[in-house]
Amino acid sequence: MSEPEMLFFWITVTSYVLVTLLYINWITGSRISAAKAERALIWSGFLANTAVVVTRTVTSGHLPVRTLYELNVTVAWLIVGVYLTARRVYSNTSLVGLISVPFAFLVMGWGYAENPAIEPLTAAYKSSWLAVHVLFALLSTACYVFATGTSIMYLLRNRFTGAAGVKYRLLPDPADLDRISVRLVMFGFLSGTIMLLSGSIWAKLLWGSYWSWDPVETWSLISWLVYGIYLHLYSTFGWRGNKLAWLCLGCLATNIISFWAVGIVTPDTYHNLELITRPVD
Amino acid sequence: MKTGNLAKLALGLMLALLFGILTDFYIFPGKNQARLFFRSGLMVALLFGLAASLLACNLTRVSVMSRQAKITGSNTAKRGSVIFHLGLVLILFGFGISALFGMKGRVMIPEGVAVRFPSEISSVETGKLHSFEEYTVGLNEMELVREGENIGQVRSHVDFITNGQSGRRVIEINRPAKFRGYYWRSMNWGYSVHLIIKSEDMTVLDNFLNIATHRDGLYYDRYSVPDLGEFQVRFYANMPVQGKPAEKAVFPDRPAVEIKLLSSDTSGAEPGGPIIPLGQTGKLGNYTVSFSEHRFWEEFDVSSDPGESFIFLGSILAVAGLFLRVVFRG
C-alpha cells in the first residue's frame, strides 16, 4: 500500500465516519443541521475514495479487483457513488446515507484489516471480461445496499407514526420510498444480470464450461433468482409496503452471502483465483 | 391459460429451482461431486418448464400489448420486459442445443507428442446427437511466460493436422483455440521426466514419466515397474547448488528429481531417496537412476458448443430488454 493511498484511505474513512455521526444527529434531532458540512464531508470522502481506487490502480497496474481489500474499497466507492447519485435524483433521501455510508466504511475497514498488500495478477485474471464481471457485480451490490437502506427507512417510517415518528418526517412518503427501493433493485438486477452473463462467458473461456455449480456461482444465481422473485412479486402480484421491504432485506442477505461469505467459508471455490491458473486435481 | 395463472406458474418454477438448488447444496452435502439434482431429469424438466412458461407468458403479453397499443400507444418498458424474457428463453434454448449436439472432454498431451481426436480423449461427455470430426492434435511446444517470480501466461503452440495439412495455433489461458467447431483450452500443465533405471545386468526403465501437479504446487506421482516395484518420483523445478530444493518453484531453472521406493507394508515412501539433478546419475539401492531430460505435459479441455450463438444472442437480448425496462418507466 503506497503512502498516498494510505493517506487517501484514512481521509475516506474519517469523512465517512464523521458524516455518519451527522446522519445520526439528523435522525435523533429530527432536523437537518450542518447541511453544508455534510455535503463537504460526504464529497471529500467520496473524492478521497476515488483517489484510493485510482492510486491503487496505478501502483498495482491493474483494476483494484484482485484482493478482498481491493474489492471492498471499490464496492465502498460504488456504494457511496450510487448513494450520491440517487439522492440527487430522488429528493429527501439523504438519510438513506445512514445505511449506505457506514456499510461503505465498515467493508473498507474489513478489507484493510484482512491484507492491503498488492498481489500480482495471475494469467487467469488477464481477461477483458474481468472488468465487466467484477465491476457489475460490485455495482449491483451498491444498488441493492441503497434499495435496502430505502426499505429500512420505509419500515421505520411506517413503524413509528404520530409523535414517535416525527424524526422520520425528513424522509419521503412511504409510497415513494417503496417505489425508489424497487427502482434501485431494478438497476441492481440489470447489473447482476450483466455480472452473471459476463461471468458465464468468461468461465467458458477459462474453464470450458458456462456453469460449474461452484459455490460462489450458485449463490450468485440464488441471489439473482431471489431478486427476480422480488421484482415479480412487485410487478405481477402487486406486493407493496412492509412485506416488500422485509423481502428486500432478505434479498440483500443472499447478495452478501454470495459476494463475501461463500468465498470465506468455501476457500475451495473456483472464485479463489489463486487456483484458477492451474485448476488441478 | 390466463396471464395471471401463467405468472403464478413461472413464479412457482422459479421457487422450485431455488429450493432445488439449496436442497442439493445443503440438505445433501457430500454429494457435490455427483451434483445429483443438477444432472437429473428433474432439473431438465424444471428448466424446460421455465422456458415454456416464459415463452407462453411472453406470447400472452405481446398479444395484450398489441391490443393496448392501438388504444394507448406503445409501452417501451413493457417491450423491454418481453425482450428480457425472450433473451432468457434463447439462453435456455442454447443450453439445450449444446446439451444435445455438443461434447466435452479432456486430453493430456506431452510436448512433442500428437494424439488422435476423438479416440484418445478421456472423460468424454457427448450429446445424444453429436457426431465427431476426426483429426490429429500435437503439442509442439509449451512455455511459461515469466513475470517476475510469477507465471504471467501459459502459452502452447499446438498443431492441428487433418488430411495431411497442418495448421499451428497458439493457446493461452483465457484464449482458447477453435478448430473444426471444437474449442481447445489450456486447463493444467506439469512436468514429464525421462528416467533411465538400470540394475547390474538390465535396463528396468527407459521412458518419460508424466508427473502429476498437485493443488499445493508440488509435482509428484507414483509408478510401478515389474522389476523395481512401486516407487515415487518427485520433481523439483529449482535445485540450488547447495542446500534444500525450492519446494514450490515453478520455473525449471535447475531441475532435479527425487526417487523413493515405496515399502509394501505401509505403502508410504521410504525416507532418504536420492535427489538427482538434470543430466546426472544417482544410486537407488542396487539400481542406478539417470535423469536425462524433462519436458512439459499439458491437459486440454476440448468442447463443442453448437448452442453458443443462441446463448450470446439471448444474453444481448436479456441485457437490452432489462435496460429498456429500467430506463423507461412502465
Side-chain angles (χ1 to χ4, degrees):
Chain A
M1 195 177 189
S2 65
E3 275 185 24
E5 186 188 337
M6 178 89 84
L7 176 71
F8 290 130
F9 178 89
W10 288 112
I11 292 173
T12 309
V13 172
T14 311
S15 306
Y16 287 170
V17 170
L18 290 175
V19 87
T20 302
L21 294 175
L22 256 179
Y23 295 143
I24 293 171
N25 179 258
W26 284 6
I27 206 156
T28 50
S30 66
R31 69 185 186 88
I32 291 177
S33 55
K36 277 186 184 170
E38 186 269 342
R39 265 200 299 279
L41 276 173
I42 191 69
W43 276 102
S44 59
F46 181 66
L47 291 175
N49 199 343
T50 311
V52 173
V53 172
V54 171
T55 47
R56 185 69 173 195
T57 306
V58 171
T59 50
S60 68
H62 55 78
L63 280 175
V65 292
R66 171 72 177 82
T67 60
L68 182 73
Y69 164 79
E70 290 175 356
L71 286 170
N72 285 7
V73 161
T74 313
V75 81
W77 176 67
L78 286 168
I79 286 169
V80 177
V82 165
Y83 162 65
L84 287 171
T85 311
R87 77 179 203 176
R88 278 188 79 87
V89 176
Y90 306 109
S91 51
N92 302 328
T93 50
S94 298
L95 263 182
V96 179
L98 194 56
I99 306 298
S100 292
V101 180
F103 197 103
F105 74 70
L106 284 174
V107 294
M108 282 182 80
W110 175 26
Y112 182 79
E114 192 72 22
N115 184 12
I118 292 173
E119 297 283 338
L121 276 193
T122 57
Y125 280 95
K126 290 175 182 164
S127 167
S128 27
W129 290 105
L130 170 74
V132 181
H133 176 63
V134 181
L135 290 180
F136 278 100
L138 303 181
L139 183 61
S140 69
T141 300
C143 293
Y144 292 150
V145 167
F146 189 87
T148 308
T150 320
S151 293
I152 290 171
M153 292 302 156
Y154 175 92
L155 290 170
L156 289 172
R157 173 124 204 204
N158 233 23
R159 172 81 178 79
F160 302 103
T161 49
V166 73
K167 59 184 65 167
Y168 302 109
R169 69 181 178 191
L170 306 173
L171 290 163
D173 284 340
D176 287 337
L177 283 170
D178 219 19
R179 192 176 50 81
I180 294 165
S181 184
V182 170
R183 200 104 189 107
L184 264 293
V185 167
M186 276 185 182
F187 276 109
F189 191 70
L190 170 63
S191 303
T193 306
I194 297 172
M195 175 270 290
L196 270 186
L197 295 173
S198 59
S200 296
I201 293 167
W202 184 19
K204 178 75 178 168
L205 290 172
L206 189 57
W207 300 316
S209 170
Y210 291 109
W211 202 261
S212 312
W213 295 108
D214 173 77
V216 174
E217 264 178 10
T218 306
W219 269 98
S220 302
L221 179 66
I222 288 170
S223 181
W224 185 82
L225 273 173
V226 165
Y227 274 106
I229 290 169
Y230 170 99
L231 290 173
H232 267 256
L233 288 171
Y234 172 81
S235 59
T236 315
F237 294 88
W239 275 37
R240 300 285 185 276
N242 276 353
K243 53 185 180 182
L244 199 68
W246 280 111
L247 183 60
C248 193
L249 262 70
C251 289
L252 185 70
T254 63
N255 188 261
I256 288 171
I257 290 170
S258 72
F259 191 69
W260 283 289
V262 183
I264 293 167
V265 296
T266 53
D268 214 21
T269 165
Y270 276 177
H271 283 71
N272 177 354
L273 294 192
E274 293 301 332
L275 303 175
I276 288 182
T277 311
R278 311 176 66 189
V280 292
D281 291 349
Chain B
M1 200 183 271
K2 286 180 182 174
T3 317
N5 291 338
L6 277 172
K8 278 179 192 163
L9 177 66
L11 187 71
L13 287 167
M14 281 167 81
L15 285 168
L17 189 61
L18 188 65
F19 285 112
I21 293 167
L22 283 169
T23 306
D24 192 63
F25 246 78
Y26 296 103
I27 310 292
F28 301 116
K31 295 186 179 175
N32 287 358
Q33 290 302 316
R35 285 274 173 259
L36 294 177
F37 172 69
F38 301 140
R39 290 172 180 273
S40 68
L42 183 64
M43 181 73 169
V44 175
L46 209 54
L47 290 177
F48 183 79
L50 199 60
S53 77
L54 283 172
L55 197 60
C57 270
N58 254 5
L59 290 174
T60 319
R61 204 172 284 174
V62 168
S63 134
V64 172
M65 274 166 58
S66 59
R67 280 201 301 271
Q68 283 177 346
K70 287 174 189 163
I71 307 161
T72 58
S74 65
N75 186 325
T76 312
K78 280 187 179 171
R79 273 188 195 164
S81 187
V82 169
I83 293 168
F84 166 69
H85 288 99
L86 190 66
L88 293 186
V89 173
L90 265 182
I91 290 170
L92 291 172
F93 180 71
F95 281 137
I97 293 288
S98 288
L100 275 177
F101 295 92
M103 66 75 63
K104 194 168 163 51
R106 287 193 174 195
V107 61
M108 196 258 261
I109 315 177
E111 259 181 320
V113 174
V115 296
R116 289 290 302 159
F117 175 79
S119 54
E120 292 181 57
I121 301 285
S122 59
S123 55
V124 185
E125 291 172 32
T126 46
K128 284 181 179 158
L129 302 173
H130 181 78
S131 62
F132 280 104
E133 282 260 356
E134 291 187 355
Y135 51 87
T136 303
V137 186
L139 177 60
N140 186 276
E141 189 194 352
M142 196 204 99
E143 55 178 316
L144 300 178
V145 179
R146 207 185 268 261
E147 273 183 13
E149 290 302 304
N150 303 296
I151 300 169
Q153 188 53 271
V154 179
R155 188 171 296 140
S156 328
H157 302 267
V158 179
D159 292 326
F160 293 93
I161 306 150
T162 180
N163 300 327
Q165 303 241 315
S166 170
R168 181 163 295 176
R169 304 280 172 87
V170 175
I171 298 175
E172 293 182 342
I173 289 177
N174 272 317
R175 288 192 193 93
K178 193 175 185 184
F179 187 76
R180 300 244 164 158
Y182 294 93
Y183 281 106
W184 287 74
R185 290 175 188 79
S186 174
M187 291 299 290
N188 192 15
W189 58 270
Y191 288 98
S192 210
V193 293
H194 186 204
L195 295 183
I196 303 165
I197 305 178
K198 289 179 178 170
S199 65
E200 280 182 2
D201 52 351
M202 64 184 286
T203 301
V204 175
L205 179 82
D206 181 359
N207 211 344
F208 275 96
L209 301 176
N210 300 318
I211 301 174
T213 304
H214 295 264
R215 265 189 196 274
D216 50 11
L218 303 178
Y219 314 96
Y220 59 89
D221 220 330
R222 289 178 173 195
Y223 306 90
S224 185
V225 175
D227 293 305
L228 186 65
E230 212 178 345
F231 62 102
Q232 178 180 291
V233 179
R234 183 161 169 186
F235 181 83
Y236 295 106
N238 193 5
M239 174 75 197
V241 180
Q242 286 186 324
K244 292 175 76 177
E247 287 257 314
K248 293 184 181 177
V250 283
F251 298 104
D253 296 325
R254 284 195 195 88
V257 289
E258 182 183 26
I259 303 182
K260 291 175 184 178
L261 286 172
L262 299 175
S263 52
S264 53
D265 52 340
T266 58
S267 76
E270 286 179 347
I275 294 179
I276 307 162
L278 180 66
Q280 294 189 22
T281 301
K283 289 288 281 179
L284 178 69
N286 297 325
Y287 300 91
T288 57
V289 182
S290 303
F291 174 28
S292 60
E293 194 185 342
H294 73 90
R295 63 188 182 189
F296 289 111
W297 59 259
E298 192 165 6
E299 188 179 29
F300 294 96
D301 170 273
V302 195
S303 64
S304 154
D305 184 20
E308 183 183 48
S309 15
F310 293 105
I311 294 170
F312 286 162
L313 180 63
S315 301
I316 292 167
L317 285 180
V319 172
L322 262 185
F323 182 78
L324 292 177
R325 182 72 186 84
V326 170
V327 171
F328 295 93
R329 300 190 181 206

